[in-house]
């Protein structure tokens, strides 16, 4: 028998923790950006989600009044970012990027994560990240009900630490790459495959 | 040294699998709806993501030309749905809901998942799901670059199989509830906690 939970009675912080965990497990990505003075920024973001394969699009949510504001400012300026998957050995450093460092501090200097510049792209990648890609802003949607911003980005160039991570069906083996996932605001998890099912058909 | 992967050279199906896995691990939710004739529908959706805690909002992407079209039609009609987390023992049934059943077939009759009606809500929940909630449509955003639909839903009532899943900080223990996550289109994973970190501060 299910138990109804009246989250409207929760205090503010408790409500934030409860609702943030309610959507399920989330992707763990470090978003790299650069400001107009050439200073890099790195922010852990758990809202990156798939929008479409062709054109190759992802989206993520940025709250302008919360920690990764520099990310939003920088992407508006340059239209560019890098998205770097967080490996299971990178979670402590990744989480540290969520501290409110000022605009003159690059999170790269406050963690053991290493700036990596690839193919003359102006925004740094995270060297330690096994799966990473560059992306360009194509649309900013304001969610009018709470003032958050949905950034829709086109996937440009993809880099893997090892081409063998591409499976027979061309899906990337995230688990084999040791990628973490997130629950709530601050729990990081590794994964264990339950099963990979074939394309579902009505008759089977 | 990272290896660049030119996904633009991939065949269509391979590109779909590759890009679908590129955003990272995804939430595993069964979305329940009901049509104007009272026929239920259930669809596995991996794009549910957190938008905000107050108001409590989640969003998900529906492609009108892909499998869960009935979900979109039904939500437009009734403005209501249920979102039911997929437990690790439910993944085979959950994946089966992605088969292209016709509009007159409820996925509940084609899987071992059980319709559950709670508190006179017109849309069924999934009885076996340990974490579930009802939600109401408040905004539909068309992503103009690929014609997909972002549904923004307000979280109404939340039900847990056990109140003890609420942790000290009020985050729900998704792992303790045995919730699965998804990679790509068809891989289901269980999780193992790496660490839960405190709120990140600049000075620590």
């Amino acid at each position: 028998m299910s138990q109804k939970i009246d989250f409207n009675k929760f205090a503010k912080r408790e409500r934030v923790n409860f609702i943030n965990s309610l959507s399920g497990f989330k992707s763990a990505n470090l978003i790299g950006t650069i400001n107009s003075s050439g200073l890099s920024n790195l922010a852990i973001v758990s809202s990156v989600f798939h929008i479409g394969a062709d054109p190759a699009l992802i989206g993520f949510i940025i709250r302008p009044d919360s920690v990764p504001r520099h990310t939003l400012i920088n992407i508006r300026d340059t239209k560019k970012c890098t998205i770097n998957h967080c490996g299971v050995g990178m979670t402590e450093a990744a989480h540290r990027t969520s501290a409110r460092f000022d605009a003159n501090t690059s999170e790269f200097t406050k963690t053991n994560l290493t700036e990596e510049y690839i193919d003359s792209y102006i925004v740094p990648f995270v060297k330690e990240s096994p799966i990473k890609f560059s992306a360009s802003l194509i649309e900013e949607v304001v969610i009018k009900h709470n003032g958050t911003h949905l950034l829709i980005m086109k996937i440009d160039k993809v880099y893997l630490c090892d081409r063998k991570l591409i499976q027979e069906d061309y899906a990337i083996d995230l688990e084999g790459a040791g990628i973490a996932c997130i629950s709530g605001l601050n729990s990081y998890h590794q994964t264990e495959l339950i099963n990979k099912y074939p394309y579902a058909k009505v008759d089977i």
Side-chain angles (χ1 to χ4, degrees), chain A residues 175 191-197:
Chain A
E175 186 166 300
T191 66
E192 189 186 339
L193 185 68
I194 300 167
N195 211 343
K196 182 169 181 171
Y197 299 107

Side-chain angles (χ1 to χ4, degrees), chain A residues 46-59:
Chain A
S46 64
S47 64
V48 174
F49 64 100
H50 171 80
I51 294 181
D54 196 2
L57 303 177
I58 55 102

Side-chain angles (χ1 to χ4, degrees), chain A residues 131 158 160 163-174 196:
Chain A
I131 301 171
V158 179
L160 303 181
R163 192 175 286 270
K164 294 197 185 92
L165 291 174
I166 303 176
Q167 299 172 94
E168 202 175 341
D169 66 353
Y170 280 57
I172 305 168
D173 183 2
L174 300 182
K196 182 169 181 171

Side-chain angles (χ1 to χ4, degrees), chain A residues 53-102:
Chain A
D54 196 2
L57 303 177
I58 55 102
F60 55 89
I61 294 284
I62 297 279
R63 308 192 58 145
D65 57 348
S66 78
V67 178
R69 167 196 268 165
H70 306 140
T71 299
L72 181 61
I73 294 169
N74 292 350
I75 291 178
R76 281 178 175 159
D77 266 6
T78 66
K79 313 297 181 202
K80 290 181 174 63
C81 75
T82 65
I83 297 189
N84 308 269
H85 284 234
C86 174
V88 297
M90 299 162 58
T91 59
E92 187 169 0
H95 188 65
R96 184 157 166 69
T97 65
S98 65
R100 294 178 184 268
F101 296 109
D102 65 46

